[in-house]
Amino acid sequence: MNIIFISNKSERARKITLTGKYITVLISIFLLIIIALALSLNFVSLRYADRIDTPVLRAVLVSPQEERHQKIQTHLQDNLNIMASRLGQMQAQLLRLDALGERLAESSGIKSRDLLFNGVPGQGGARTDLASEELTFGEFNHKLQELSSMLDERSDKLGALDSLLRHDRLTKYVLPSEMPVETDWYSSGYGYRIDPFTGKRAFHEGVDFSAEVGTPIKAAAGGIVVYSDRHPEYGNMVEIDHGGDLVSRYAHASKRLVVLGQVVLQGQKIAEVGSTGRSTGSHLHFEIRHKDKSLNPSRFLKRPS
């Protein structure tokens, strides 16, 4: 490439010949100048952003940096909000699991303080020579999701186990197993016997406990009172429905202390021993019936040793 310079003061023209090498050098110098200017502007915008008062320069130099920085901060804040929400949910799950664990420990007879539900499990170990790695944001988020899934799974399993244990506990309370009066012997057992009134062989559908008038009669199990009235043969009688078509009957009482529809607990006083109805003396006639068929009470009652 030839460049010719012509001057009004001189009659001679000057000629400069540019080779490819010179052109490459010039372009390189031009690019370096542009890069240097860009770096200088970036440095000034970062170093003196808060000191620039000119609106035009501030708009040109500071605004793009602030906008990029604001986008990064917004993205980080959104991710932190998501992780904070998950962390709050996991903390609530842990509180529920702690309460559930204490209930299960109590049900199984384990001391809950031995399991340290309210403390942080101890951890430790020797230093290792292996290289350690920083946990990336993606890995941390993945671990957080795994832990949340594990908490959900453990909560479901422990909840099912708690339901089974509570059902088992409830079954024990609704089975008529408590002695209705404080005595350890029957005056008349379950099955065929000589009827004290007719002298003939007859089937006795319950057991008789001989006791003094006024002796407390207690519910053999919890349930709902389905009968509390005077019966022509049983005298003052109380019946308690324990669910599953299982009913306990208390007859010949001198006094009834519960009413129809009342909810009673196992061991609660419901009447007092007497000799009303078809009776030869002071005693309690006790029956257990399933679907209106009598069962042997001795199979249910826990008699004192």
Side-chain angles (χ1 to χ4, degrees):
M1 178 183 292
N2 296 322
I3 300 177
I4 300 173
F5 294 95
I6 300 174
S7 175
N8 294 328
K9 297 179 181 181
S10 176
E11 295 179 354
R12 293 184 58 185
R14 293 182 180 182
K15 177 181 177 182
I16 298 176
T17 302
L18 297 178
T19 63
K21 180 179 180 181
Y22 289 144
I23 294 175
T24 302
V25 171
L26 290 174
I27 294 175
S28 300
I29 294 173
F30 181 73
L31 291 176
L32 288 175
I33 293 173
I34 293 177
I35 293 173
L37 289 174
L39 293 175
S40 300
L41 289 174
N42 185 65
F43 173 77
V44 170
S45 64
L46 294 176
R47 183 71 173 81
Y48 303 102
D50 56 340
R51 302 179 187 178
I52 298 176
D53 295 329
T54 306
V56 177
L57 290 178
R58 190 171 185 84
V60 173
L61 298 178
V62 181
S63 295
Q65 297 293 336
E66 288 185 348
E67 184 178 355
R68 184 164 60 251
H69 179 72
Q70 186 65 33
K71 287 182 179 179
I72 295 173
Q73 290 296 325
T74 302
H75 179 69
L76 291 175
Q77 188 62 47
D78 290 341
N79 288 327
L80 286 175
N81 290 338
I82 293 173
M83 287 190 293
S85 177
R86 290 180 181 173
L87 185 61
Q89 294 175 358
M90 292 167 62
Q91 288 175 337
Q93 287 178 311
L94 285 175
L95 290 175
R96 288 197 298 269
L97 288 177
D98 287 342
L100 186 57
E102 290 181 359
R103 282 206 310 270
L104 292 175
E106 181 181 355
S107 301
S108 58
I110 300 175
K111 297 179 180 179
S112 60
R113 63 176 178 270
D114 295 338
L115 299 177
L116 300 176
F117 286 110
N118 297 324
V120 179
Q123 294 180 338
R127 293 182 180 273
T128 178
D129 295 332
L130 299 176
S132 59
E133 297 179 357
E134 296 289 343
L135 192 65
T136 65
F137 181 81
E139 291 173 340
F140 176 74
N141 189 35
H142 181 66
K143 292 291 184 183
L144 197 64
Q145 290 179 350
E146 284 186 348
L147 184 57
S148 179
S149 298
M150 290 173 61
L151 285 174
D152 289 336
E153 181 186 4
R154 299 296 190 276
S155 179
D156 292 340
K157 290 181 178 179
L158 288 177
L161 181 59
D162 181 52
S163 298
L164 291 175
L165 290 176
R166 294 177 70 178
H167 179 267
D168 183 62
R169 267 197 327 271
L170 184 62
T171 301
K172 293 179 181 178
Y173 285 114
V174 298
L175 280 179
S177 56
E178 195 77 15
M179 289 290 288
V181 291
E182 294 182 1
T183 183
D184 58 354
W185 63 286
Y186 303 141
S187 57
S188 182
Y190 177 84
Y192 283 98
R193 66 171 185 175
I194 301 300
D195 190 288
F197 291 94
T198 64
K200 298 180 180 179
R201 187 170 180 267
F203 190 84
H204 188 222
E205 294 188 328
V207 292
D208 292 337
F209 297 101
S210 182
E212 295 181 358
V213 175
T215 300
I217 300 174
K218 301 177 181 179
I224 300 176
V225 177
V226 293
Y227 189 95
S228 180
D229 205 343
R230 184 89 177 184
H231 190 277
E233 294 187 354
Y234 287 111
N236 285 322
M237 185 181 75
V238 174
E239 285 187 347
I240 300 176
D241 187 350
H242 307 291
D245 297 320
L246 196 64
V247 176
S248 58
R249 177 178 292 176
Y250 312 80
H252 306 304
S254 61
K255 183 187 296 184
R256 291 174 282 104
L257 304 177
V258 291
V259 296
L260 185 67
Q262 181 176 341
V263 177
V264 296
L265 303 177
Q266 188 177 51
Q268 180 178 336
K269 184 178 179 181
I270 59 174
E272 293 179 358
V273 172
S275 184
T276 57
R278 193 170 182 266
S279 171
T280 61
S282 176
H283 74 287
L284 167 67
H285 174 82
F286 177 72
E287 292 183 18
I288 295 178
R289 308 184 71 84
H290 181 255
K291 295 183 178 180
D292 204 29
K293 293 183 179 179
S294 65
L295 302 176
N296 189 349
S298 62
R299 299 178 180 176
F300 294 85
L301 297 178
K302 298 176 181 177
R303 299 184 63 181
S305 59

